Amino acid sequence: MKTIGFIGCGNMGRAMVEGIMKANLVDGDHMIVSNAHPERLSELSEIYDCYISDNESVAKNSDIVVLAIKPYLYKEVITSIKDIVKDDVIIINIAAGISTQDVVEMFGRKVKTVKAMPNTPAMVQEAMSALSFSDNCDQDDKEDVIAIFESFGQCREVEERLMDAVMVVSGSSPAYIFMVLEAMADGAVMQGLPRNDAYAFAAQAMIGSAKMMLETGKHPGELKDMVCSPAGTTIEAVAKMEEMGLRSAIIEGMRACANRGKEMSKK
Ligand SMILES: NC(=O)c1ccc[n+]([C@@H]2O[C@H](COP(=O)([O-])OP(=O)(O)OC[C@H]3O[C@@H](n4cnc5c(N)ncnc54)[C@H](OP(=O)(O)O)[C@@H]3O)[C@@H](O)[C@H]2O)c1
């Protein structure tokens, strides 16, 4: 069993650790986690019986190290661990705007590295992650890393140049999906439904619709048309949402997200 280490365990790191532990991919002896404020992880270590330690110990003892820290901390943290990681370590970089080339330069050698873009539904084993492997990762390395990402959802290999596109549609998208869910619940509350019921109906409609699209393979426009009876209620909602710019609000929001990713990668 390989040892997986996490440096940084905030929103994304914790979702991944919880996903891996819930799936029993490794036992607590093979999961080491560090954080700026380790006391915030005491509940995590109690639930999953994993080690909470410092960055140095994660670096020395892990076969695979996930850097789940903010992008601006990569240089500082890599400088402090580059000489103590295992020779054959695999570094998983999940940061927006940090490329494989950046990681290799920060390490000062051609370390095995994976550029990955997960999302927070990892916490409930429903992440969708993109992976791009450096060319020195062999088949076994790839299988080990894919097993990690499949333990908390699905993953796909993509070219690294497409990672910003994945970030806008997957890494960042839970935020806008929750905004839509909140707005849908508000709309139902306005019509008299209790809030808890409204969240349950809205969330299940989101899950069901997404599953329907994936399982039928039908175009989303066709599935939308199936709900819109002539002169009915749904087409009124669709027409009003078009008038209010729902689609362009989403597309422009995603463009802003991608632009920010590009800005971050220039620094
Ligand atoms: N959030 C997402 O949905 C998402 C999706 C895809 C990719 N990402 C990427 O994931 C990375 C982390 O994002 P996040 O949203 O999880 O951020 P976050 O919630 O702020 O978590 C970052 C964690 O790093 C810890 N930390 C700070 N300095 C550290 C240090 N020197 N050594 C060890 N740990 C340190 C922080 O500890 P304290 O809290 O104790 O200060 C915090 O727990 C980012 O690079 C981001 O681009 C995030």
Side-chain angles (χ1 to χ4, degrees):
M1 201 180 261
K2 298 267 165 75
T3 296
I4 305 171
F6 276 77
I7 294 187
C9 193
N11 292 313
M12 195 60 243
R14 188 174 173 129
M16 292 172 76
V17 171
E18 288 204 37
I20 293 168
M21 299 312 287
K22 281 181 191 164
N24 292 318
L25 183 72
V26 291
D27 57 30
D29 288 345
H30 292 84
M31 172 65 78
I32 320 180
V33 183
S34 65
N35 202 41
H37 298 91
E39 64 281 3
R40 290 188 182 152
L41 304 182
S42 50
E43 188 204 342
L44 187 79
S45 79
E46 269 168 37
I47 300 173
Y48 299 108
D49 200 24
C50 53
Y51 284 111
I52 307 302
S53 195
D54 52 21
N55 294 357
E56 191 181 322
S57 170
V58 172
K60 275 187 184 156
N61 295 300
S62 306
D63 302 298
I64 298 171
V65 174
V66 183
L67 295 174
I69 43 176
K70 292 287 188 196
Y72 74 92
L73 287 168
Y74 263 57
K75 181 126 184 79
E76 176 190 324
V77 168
I78 290 177
T79 303
S80 69
I81 63 165
K82 66 188 174 70
D83 297 324
I84 53 174
V85 288
K86 293 186 180 185
D87 285 345
D88 213 26
V89 68
I90 302 173
I91 301 294
I92 300 185
N93 153 26
I94 65 166
I98 304 272
S99 67
T100 294
Q101 181 62 25
D102 293 331
V103 171
V104 167
E105 279 170 17
M106 290 174 199
F107 271 89
R109 67 186 165 90
K110 214 164 175 248
V111 66
K112 289 179 184 178
T113 176
V114 182
K115 171 75 196 172
M117 184 50 63
N119 61 9
T120 52
M123 195 181 282
V124 291
Q125 258 87 18
E126 289 289 352
M128 184 67 197
S129 309
L131 304 175
S132 172
F133 296 90
S134 61
D135 53 16
N136 53 347
C137 288
D138 61 24
Q139 197 51 36
D140 285 348
D141 298 329
K142 288 187 179 185
E143 282 170 16
D144 287 341
V145 172
I146 289 170
I148 292 178
F149 284 85
E150 284 187 344
S151 75
F152 50 74
Q154 299 181 35
C155 63
R156 251 177 221 206
E157 214 174 318
V158 302
E159 286 177 54
E160 186 167 352
R161 68 182 178 83
L162 296 174
M163 277 296 167
D164 277 351
V166 173
M167 175 187 69
V168 306
V169 74
S170 184
S172 299
S173 67
Y176 4 121
I177 289 170
F178 291 126
M179 286 167 72
V180 170
L181 283 171
E182 211 182 353
M184 285 171 68
D186 284 346
V189 168
M190 193 185 276
Q191 300 303 320
L193 203 64
R195 184 155 291 273
N196 280 346
D197 289 340
Y199 286 136
F201 280 104
Q204 185 55 36
M206 182 82 75
I207 291 173
S209 308
K211 200 167 174 186
M212 203 171 155
M213 189 178 100
L214 290 173
E215 289 188 6
T216 63
K218 287 189 193 292
H219 188 284
E222 191 183 341
L223 296 171
K224 180 213 77 189
D225 290 351
M226 284 165 60
V227 195
C228 296
S229 335
T233 50
T234 312
I235 194 67
E236 290 291 333
V238 168
K240 183 53 90 176
M241 288 177 192
E242 292 288 12
E243 186 191 321
M244 304 298 286
L246 177 74
R247 289 180 204 243
S248 49
I250 292 171
I251 293 169
E252 289 308 319
M254 289 167 74
R255 195 200 305 273
C257 181
N259 286 345
R260 179 67 185 133
K262 286 183 189 113
E263 249 173 53
M264 285 164 77
S265 60
K266 282 189 202 133
K267 284 181 191 147

